[in-house]
Amino acid sequence: MTFPYLPRPTELPLDPRQSLPTMYDLPFEDPEEDGLPDTFHIDQPQLLEFTFLPPNWDENQVFTATNLYLYYDVAHSRWYKRPNWFAAVGVSRLYEGHDMRFSYVIWQEQVSPFVVVELLSPGTEDEDFGRTMQRQGRPPTKWQVYEQILQVPYYFVFSRHTDELQAFHLINGRYQSVELTCGQLLIPELQLRLGLWQGDYKGMNRLWLRWFTADGELILSPSERAILAERQVIESQQKVIEFQQQVSEFQQQLSESQKQVIAAQEKAERLAARLRELGIEPD
């Protein structure tokens, strides 16, 4: 299928890295665009970022972003999408190894996101699920960009209203719906699982989207690791106190045994002395 926004090969610049706008040139916010709909759209991506730790990738070659402008078309350098959360691997965590990003510019980075997560909001469902059509003269839809232009391997859509997670895997250039196993999907290339977890985060107990190890073990956030470390310290201190109490009890028992031994020795000595008075050698 051909889209009208795609330029002919002869129209493409010879070297987009040199001729097209860079991260510093492109806008990283739009005053006319609506703000984030609720705090869930802040907390949930943050939890994904904190727990995205693929063991087979160097942390300096992993980049994650929340609601960052993603520029994708060399022929229309001002067109962008803004995923709720995405992760790219095999690209420097810092822009060109030294700067924080204003946006993610695909012709500069030359690495597409590997995972994209969209959080459903009122009015975005049709576009998130690819049910909207591109309007004449307008940018392509979100689904078109992720599937056909960037070819993002894994695309997830999560609704906080229904607690439903839907996963799509790019197979032969098209997204195929993937069935979850116990609410999780294994991503072998990352040695991670993405799935649902019922628990407390930032004081809110609900169903959250989280990363797990390939074996299904929950990856803890920094705050959870701190709580766990504090709990382990308290448990260790309690064990030390219990050990000290056991040592004290043993010392008391040893002292009591020593007293009994001394008393027995004194009694034996008195008995031996009495026997000698009677002319009997105790030995």
Side-chain angles (χ1 to χ4, degrees):
M1 183 175 181
T2 302
F3 296 99
Y5 63 86
L6 290 176
R8 292 188 296 273
T10 56
E11 296 175 341
L12 289 175
L14 296 179
D15 186 356
R17 285 181 59 85
Q18 300 296 326
S19 59
L20 289 179
T22 70
M23 175 184 77
Y24 301 103
D25 305 317
L26 292 164
F28 55 92
E29 61 182 356
D30 184 351
E32 297 182 358
E33 186 167 340
D34 293 335
L36 297 177
D38 53 30
T39 57
F40 178 76
H41 280 69
I42 299 175
D43 295 340
Q44 175 61 89
Q46 185 182 73
L47 184 56
L48 289 173
E49 176 187 357
F50 286 158
T51 60
F52 184 72
L53 302 171
N56 56 335
W57 286 95
D58 185 302
E59 62 179 4
N60 292 316
Q61 290 295 306
V62 174
F63 175 71
T64 65
T66 299
N67 293 299
L68 189 72
Y69 280 31
L70 172 59
Y71 292 91
Y72 55 86
D73 192 338
V74 296
H76 300 86
S77 60
R78 296 282 170 169
W79 285 1
Y80 65 86
K81 296 301 177 187
R82 196 177 71 173
N84 290 137
W85 186 87
F86 74 87
V89 294
V91 64
S92 175
R93 181 177 59 85
L94 298 176
Y95 179 68
E96 296 191 341
H98 66 85
D99 198 3
M100 292 184 291
R101 288 177 173 84
F102 300 146
S103 56
Y104 194 88
V105 183
I106 198 66
W107 55 86
Q108 293 288 314
E109 307 288 354
Q110 298 187 339
V111 176
S112 290
F114 197 83
V115 179
V116 167
V117 175
E118 290 290 355
L119 307 174
L120 286 184
S121 298
T124 68
E125 183 172 346
D126 286 341
E127 184 172 6
D128 288 337
F129 285 114
R131 294 194 288 260
T132 56
M133 298 296 294
Q134 180 186 3
R135 291 181 292 170
Q136 183 68 29
R138 299 291 296 170
T141 66
K142 191 182 299 182
W143 186 279
Q144 290 173 326
V145 170
Y146 297 161
E147 179 190 62
Q148 298 164 29
I149 300 177
L150 296 178
Q151 296 186 320
V152 178
Y154 292 91
Y155 175 47
F156 295 87
V157 180
F158 178 54
S159 171
R160 63 166 293 196
H161 306 289
T162 63
D163 289 333
E164 184 180 8
L165 173 64
Q166 297 189 51
F168 302 91
H169 186 200
L170 192 68
I171 301 175
N172 296 325
R174 289 291 183 266
Y175 277 139
Q176 303 293 328
S177 180
V178 183
E179 186 176 351
L180 304 178
T181 302
C182 298
Q184 300 178 0
L185 179 67
L186 173 65
I187 303 178
E189 300 91 334
L190 301 175
Q191 296 182 17
L192 293 175
R193 293 176 181 268
L194 184 63
L196 299 175
W197 170 79
Q198 179 72 42
D200 185 278
Y201 180 68
K202 286 193 171 183
M204 175 64 69
N205 193 296
R206 57 158 290 114
L207 209 60
W208 296 94
L209 190 59
R210 296 195 58 154
W211 289 102
F212 300 78
T213 67
D215 296 329
E217 181 180 350
L218 185 69
I219 299 176
L220 301 182
S221 68
S223 60
E224 290 169 332
R225 290 197 294 269
I227 293 173
L228 178 61
E230 182 179 2
R231 184 179 301 134
Q232 290 173 339
V233 168
I234 294 174
E235 291 176 353
S236 298
Q237 291 174 339
Q238 184 62 36
K239 288 180 180 178
V240 169
I241 293 174
E242 292 174 356
F243 177 74
Q244 290 174 337
Q245 290 176 342
Q246 292 174 355
V247 170
S248 177
E249 292 174 358
F250 176 76
Q251 289 174 336
Q252 292 177 357
Q253 293 174 356
L254 181 60
S255 176
E256 189 65 30
S257 298
Q258 289 173 336
K259 290 179 182 179
Q260 292 176 357
V261 169
I262 293 172
Q265 289 176 340
E266 292 176 347
K267 183 177 180 180
E269 290 173 357
R270 289 195 299 270
L271 179 58
R274 179 59 179 162
L275 290 173
R276 291 189 186 94
E277 292 175 357
L278 299 173
I280 301 173
E281 183 57 43
D283 294 337

